[in-house]
Amino acid sequence: MTKHDFIFSYKFSHRIKRHLVFWIAFGFTFTIQSLGDPLGGFFNKDLVLRALQSALCFLPFCIISVYVLSYVLFPVFLQKKKYAAFISGFILLVALGLWFNYYATILFFQLNSIPAFTRAQNLMVDANFVWSAIVAGGLALGIKLAKNYYQQQNENLLLAKQKALTELKLLKARIHPDFLFATLDDIYKKIRAGSQKSPLMILKLSEILSYLLYESDEELVPLERELVATNDFISLSKLTIADKQISLKIIGNAKDKFIAPLLLLTTFQNSFSVLFADGNEKFKTGIIISIEDALLMVSLALEYGDKSGSHARYLKSFIESEQRRLNLLYPENNCVLGLSLQENHAELNLIISLNTSILPAENGHRNNFKKKLYEAV
């Protein structure tokens, strides 16, 4: 049994041990304080015997007080804000203590061979040990509340971490609804029109969704796989976005390099949603992805059909928000996003630090994905 189990476990055997330890410690303290003045003879035989007799007579109501306060009055009344009922119950507990300890006091005097005692003496000893029992109940309740508070704080912290991780995963795995719905709508239209492009679009969309659902749970994925998904996304964008010329060129060797899953894909999704927000304008976009050592460099050159100052402002705002997103979700990749603007030309540049360490063995049946040749789209 670990220390944590002993303190916090709800297992019956662990709870019994906790209560035994508490009562052994409290009983020992209760007996010691009944010895009287240590200077008068701490280990005097008569004092020790009297202390043991005191514990025998008055400790039982301490036990009653602890469990009534901790398991009846507090959870049933006080915790539910039934204050009047709690006060009434507490008064009844004190009255029960006075009655119980009255006869315990008589027994204590008899055990100590004190035949002559007044009612005032009896009541004074009685009330004193009732007070001790109430203090014991308060102490036990305080320990229980402190333990529950600590557990609640830990649970809240754990839930907050789980919520943050869940939100982080959702943000990382987010696929734009406008892209998804537009693609599905375009596939539907092409199928009805008998277009030969519809099977290719279905295949590429299924590849993206497959990667999103089944292959993006790892901390790192092969850069090759991320580029395949990005390539599929750009290919779909070419087929679904009218009057937009998009070209892609990949330079360098992606082998034995790894990247956070969906980092590149979601960045392209976010970029395209801003770049092609205005369907009335014609754009020409050239994308170059370069891989050098442990760096991935992306250059996205955009040529406007005419001057568009308003679109440039959107791009500036997008760069700021996207940089914040990358810093939040992928701090270990040191992503740097930049923007260069001219009259009818804009260029987005992204630099990402890659991981070149060897990944642990991947789980699942999708370890071996098919290799694709990267060509200009």
Side-chain angles (χ1 to χ4, degrees), residues 107-118:
L107 176 61
F108 176 72
F109 284 153
Q110 289 176 350
L111 290 174
N112 283 275
S113 302
I114 306 176
F117 55 88
T118 65

Side-chain angles (χ1 to χ4, degrees), residues 174-176 179 208 233 264-274:
R174 184 177 62 185
I175 185 167
H176 283 291
F179 161 74
I208 293 175
F233 170 75
L264 195 60
L265 179 59
T266 53
T267 302
F268 270 104
Q269 288 178 0
N270 293 340
S271 301
F272 278 29
S273 68
V274 174

Side-chain angles (χ1 to χ4, degrees), residues 289-339:
I289 299 178
S290 302
I291 306 160
E292 295 182 11
D293 297 327
L295 290 179
L296 178 70
M297 292 171 285
V298 180
S299 176
L300 193 155
L302 178 70
E303 293 183 10
Y304 301 100
D306 53 18
K307 297 181 181 180
S308 181
S310 61
H311 205 81
R313 288 193 293 272
Y314 290 143
L315 284 176
K316 289 179 180 179
S317 177
F318 162 73
I319 290 295
E320 294 177 359
S321 62
E322 187 67 7
Q323 183 67 69
R324 286 194 296 268
R325 186 187 76 89
L326 292 171
N327 292 341
L328 174 65
L329 301 182
Y330 308 100
E332 67 282 356
N333 292 104
N334 301 316
C335 304
V336 179
L337 190 61
L339 175 66

